[in-house]
Amino acid sequence: MNPAILTYNTPTSGEITKTIYEYEFKRLWKKNLDGNIANLFFGIFCLLIVVLTLIFEPDLFTGFFAGMGLIAFSTYFSRYLSYRTSKKKLKEIIEKDISDLKLNSNDVIWEFTPDHFKFKNYKSEYKCIWSEITYCVVDDQFLYITASFTTQFHFRQSQRRRRKPK
C-alpha cells in the first residue's frame, strides 16, 4: 500500500487571519486574565478587612491588610495595562498582515505525509518531521501546532479545501 499524502489548500483571507490571531491572543492571555481577576477580588477583600478593623478595633494587622490590598490592586492595574498595550499591538500586527495578504494573495499549503509536515504561505515555507512537533491542539475550529518550541502553525478547519492525494 502506498502511503497517502494529504494536501490542503487554504485560501488567504483577512477575516481568517484576524480570527486566528484573536484566537491565539485569547488563548495566551486567558490564564493571565483569570489570575488578574483573582488579584482584584483579593484586593477588595483585603480593603474590606481594613475598613472593618478601622471601624471596630484598629490593630497591628490593619496596616498589613492595607499593604496587601494595595499590592493586589497595583498588580491588577499593571496586568490590565499590559493587556491593553498587547491588544493594541495585536491590532497593528493584524492590519499589517492583512495588507501584506492583499499584496501576496497566494493560498496557504498544508501537506501531511507519514514522515513530515509541510507548511507554505507567502512569507515562508516550513518542513518538519513529526518528532519535532512538540505541541498540538485540535478543537472544534482550529488545529494549532508548535514545532520545536518556536515555530507555530494555525489551521482553521472550517475553511479548508482538500486537494487530490498525490
Side-chain angles (χ1 to χ4, degrees):
M1 183 174 154
N2 197 5
I5 297 174
L6 296 175
T7 303
Y8 292 97
N9 194 16
T10 308
T12 56
S13 141
E15 181 184 325
I16 294 171
T17 301
K18 182 178 178 182
T19 304
I20 289 171
Y21 274 114
E22 288 173 348
Y23 173 83
E24 178 64 10
F25 184 79
K26 286 177 188 174
R27 189 184 73 77
L28 291 173
W29 274 92
K30 182 176 178 12
K31 185 176 181 183
N32 194 345
L33 291 177
D34 291 345
N36 205 23
I37 290 173
N39 278 333
L40 179 63
F41 287 132
F42 181 72
I44 291 170
F45 174 73
C46 285
L47 292 181
L48 282 174
I49 290 177
V50 168
V51 169
L52 291 174
T53 56
L54 284 176
I55 291 173
F56 294 110
E57 190 174 322
D59 60 3
L60 182 64
F61 290 109
T62 305
F64 173 74
F65 282 110
M68 293 297 288
L70 291 176
I71 289 171
F73 277 121
S74 68
T75 303
Y76 170 80
F77 286 114
S78 172
R79 283 186 179 177
Y80 179 74
L81 291 174
S82 177
Y83 172 76
R84 289 198 46 188
T85 304
S86 297
K87 196 165 188 168
K88 199 177 288 186
K89 284 181 184 178
L90 175 71
K91 286 184 181 182
E92 293 171 4
I93 291 169
I94 289 172
E95 288 173 5
K96 183 184 180 314
D97 248 19
I98 289 174
S99 67
D100 288 349
L101 282 175
K102 289 178 183 174
L103 295 173
N104 306 298
S105 61
N106 298 337
D107 288 352
V108 178
I109 309 296
W110 301 79
E111 185 177 281
F112 299 90
T113 69
D115 16 309
H116 71 272
F117 163 73
K118 184 176 176 183
F119 170 85
K120 180 181 176 185
N121 66 6
Y122 75 93
K123 290 191 259 185
S124 55
E125 181 174 341
Y126 298 101
K127 183 177 179 180
C128 55
I129 57 174
W130 289 110
S131 63
E132 290 179 343
I133 294 180
T134 57
Y135 181 75
C136 183
V137 173
V138 180
D139 66 12
D140 61 339
Q141 193 176 15
F142 291 97
L143 169 65
Y144 174 81
I145 299 172
T146 301
S148 302
F149 295 107
T150 56
T151 309
Q152 298 176 354
F153 307 98
H154 307 276
F155 182 48
R156 186 167 180 197
Q157 296 178 1
S158 62
Q159 297 293 326
R160 67 183 177 205
R161 291 184 298 187
R162 187 173 177 187
R163 272 195 188 168
K164 295 177 185 175
K166 292 180 181 179

